[in-house]
Amino acid sequence: MGKRSVAKAVGVAFEPGPMGPAVDALVDRALTLAFGAGDRPALAIFFHHALLALAMCACIFVASKALSPRLFGDALAKLEPFERKIWHTNMVTFFPAFAVTYYAAPAILEYSGTRYDFLHPASLNTLKGCGMSLGYMFWDLMVLLADPTDQMKAYGGLSPYVLFL
């Protein structure tokens, strides 16, 4: 008895991404290069939101660098130089708690599939929430790889650092 193949239609239609037509074209071009010609609305929506999340992480990091000295000057003055850098990267960690929840909560509430059915088509909110999550995870990975020395200090050595990778 072989495996039964179950194919379900994607339940979303393409919608313009939140970052404008230039990013729409970039995502479309990347998907075409990776998978060939064809419409992939679910992947496009997912990657649009991953790029949005990545951009938001960079903006939060820059905003923290600009505003934290004014708002938390005394606290920052007491930190070691590597800890000040970690402060700004840690400010970004609050982002996915809100951004992913913003899409995940409605996705959970509107889920209409059979209980324990993992082949149910992803909703628009599920795609957006997963994209936001992936964008943040990519940001976090870039931070870990771009600054391993200070990240190891912050996490308490090589072993915890490797676990976070």
Side-chain angles (χ1 to χ4, degrees):
M1 186 188 311
K3 284 186 181 180
R4 196 172 64 138
S5 175
V6 179
K8 292 194 177 188
V10 175
V12 297
F14 177 79
E15 65 177 35
M19 296 179 70
V23 176
D24 289 351
L26 177 70
V27 168
D28 184 53
R29 179 76 177 132
L31 290 174
T32 300
L33 287 172
F35 302 108
D39 289 334
R40 292 175 192 78
L43 279 176
I45 291 165
F46 174 80
F47 283 112
H48 281 269
H49 284 78
L51 290 172
L52 175 62
L54 187 59
M56 291 298 300
C57 289
C59 288
I60 293 168
F61 180 81
V62 170
S64 178
K65 296 269 291 178
L67 298 175
S68 289
R70 291 184 179 105
L71 299 173
F72 308 106
D74 294 340
L76 284 174
K78 296 175 186 173
L79 298 177
E80 296 290 327
F82 86 91
E83 291 172 318
R84 283 192 286 276
K85 192 184 320 175
I86 299 301
W87 171 286
H88 304 302
T89 59
N90 283 346
M91 286 305 210
V92 177
T93 62
F94 294 107
F95 169 72
F98 298 103
V100 174
T101 303
Y102 178 81
Y103 293 111
I108 292 166
L109 294 173
E110 69 192 19
Y111 180 73
S112 62
T114 307
R115 192 174 186 174
Y116 306 117
D117 179 9
F118 293 104
L119 296 175
H120 187 75
S123 72
L124 189 60
N125 282 322
T126 300
L127 294 169
K128 291 176 179 181
C130 289
M132 297 298 267
S133 181
L134 178 75
Y136 168 73
M137 287 187 273
F138 185 70
W139 166 267
D140 200 38
L141 178 63
M142 286 186 342
V143 167
L144 287 169
L145 295 175
D147 186 27
T149 304
D150 286 347
Q151 293 296 318
M152 279 186 234
K153 285 182 196 173
Y155 290 123
L158 178 62
S159 294
Y161 171 79
V162 170
L163 287 174
F164 276 97
L165 282 176

